[in-house]
């Protein structure tokens, strides 16, 4: 279920048809969605709006971003990449993609090996939202994958200066420090990352 309104409308239509066929009024309904293939996940969406009122197009764009984010979280990378690309192409002129789009589109495109598309999303995001830590970190990761270590490190350093600080920025700086033999610097960054996100755990120190 990606559009709760459409699901609700379908249930209402089924109720109306059942009442008509049975000649009785239905006052309550139990719905079940079953099967081994069913998964439930929570996603987030965001969309820029014009003016003070939210219209149907605004809601559709929120759903499109939320669906793409959910696909990425489910590790359905090709579908996520296509969903983000379709969202960007369909965005009306004058509308700026929200930072949520850029931060996740970078990851989705990179996950399918399309580093150029990931860079395009990241650079656009950086121009529109220069202080968003997730965009800085994710774009830095793509640059690092391309061998542009200096540019990646510069973005990570910018990210650790933002509030809130993304733990992954310190994690990535620690990894870079390990690779150049700076054990003290690596440990300092890993400790900061662990303080910000204890869930990172032993991955930080088992180098």
């Amino acid at each position: 279920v990606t559009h709760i309104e459409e699901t609700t409308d379908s249930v209402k239509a089924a109720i109306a048809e059942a009442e008509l066929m049975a000649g009785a009024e239905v006052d309550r309904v139990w719905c079940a969605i079953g099967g081994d293939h069913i998964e439930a996940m929570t996603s987030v969406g965001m969309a820029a709006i014009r003016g003070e009122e939210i219209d149907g197009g605004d809601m559709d764009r929120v759903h499109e971003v939320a669906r793409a984010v959910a696909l990425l979280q489910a590790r359905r990378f090709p579908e996520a990449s296509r969903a983000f690309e379709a969202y960007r192409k369909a965005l009306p002129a004058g509308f700026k993609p929200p930072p949520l789009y850029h931060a996740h589109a970078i990851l989705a495109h990179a996950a399918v090996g399309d580093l150029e598309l990931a860079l395009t999303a990241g650079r656009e995001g950086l121009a529109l939202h220069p202080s968003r830590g997730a965009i800085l970190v994710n774009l830095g990761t793509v640059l690092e994958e391309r061998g542009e270590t200096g540019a990646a490190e510069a973005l990570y350093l910018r990210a650790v200066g933002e509030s809130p600080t993304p733990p992954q920025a310190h994690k990535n700086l620690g990894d870079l420090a390990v690779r150049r033999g700076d054990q003290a610097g690596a440990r300092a960054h890993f400790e900061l990352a662990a303080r910000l996100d204890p869930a990172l755990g032993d991955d930080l120190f088992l180098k």
Side-chain angles (χ1 to χ4, degrees):
V1 177
T2 57
H3 292 83
I4 192 64
E5 293 85 359
E6 290 181 11
T7 305
T8 303
D9 290 342
S10 296
V11 172
K12 287 179 178 178
I15 291 172
E17 186 176 346
E19 288 179 331
L20 182 63
M21 294 178 65
E25 183 177 341
V26 175
D27 63 357
R28 68 188 64 186
V29 173
W30 285 267
C31 294
I33 301 174
D36 293 338
H37 64 292
I38 301 298
E39 292 181 351
M41 64 184 69
T42 301
S43 187
V44 292
M46 181 186 294
I49 63 171
R50 284 178 175 171
E52 298 180 356
E53 294 187 5
I54 297 173
D55 60 25
D58 297 325
M59 292 301 299
D60 287 342
R61 286 190 291 277
V62 170
H63 288 146
E64 288 165 8
V65 173
R67 176 177 176 274
V69 170
L71 289 169
L72 178 62
Q73 292 173 338
R75 304 185 67 82
R76 293 161 62 178
F77 301 131
E79 293 170 84
S81 178
R82 289 194 295 270
F84 281 117
E85 188 175 8
Y87 164 83
R88 184 65 188 92
K89 288 180 177 178
L91 199 65
F95 280 82
K96 296 178 181 178
L100 182 75
Y101 156 78
H102 292 102
H104 290 81
I106 297 167
L107 297 177
H109 298 323
V112 296
D114 194 336
L115 298 186
E116 290 305 316
L117 202 53
L119 284 174
T120 298
R123 285 167 176 159
E124 180 187 54
L126 200 58
L128 294 174
H129 315 286
S131 62
R132 291 292 178 140
I135 295 174
L136 291 164
V137 170
N138 294 348
L139 178 56
T141 302
V142 174
L143 291 172
E144 196 176 338
E145 182 70 19
R146 285 166 52 95
E148 300 178 40
T149 306
E153 186 169 17
L155 291 180
Y156 300 150
L157 289 170
R158 281 178 59 182
V160 299
E162 299 300 332
S163 180
T165 300
Q168 195 67 35
H170 281 297
K171 162 73 164 61
N172 292 1
L173 285 167
D175 288 340
L176 290 177
V178 167
R179 290 203 287 272
R180 63 172 172 257
D182 179 6
Q183 298 300 323
R187 185 169 188 84
H189 281 297
F190 290 152
E191 288 177 349
L192 286 168
R195 195 177 305 156
L196 291 167
D197 183 6
L200 289 172
D202 291 339
D203 179 55
L204 294 170
F205 300 102
L206 298 178
K207 296 295 176 184

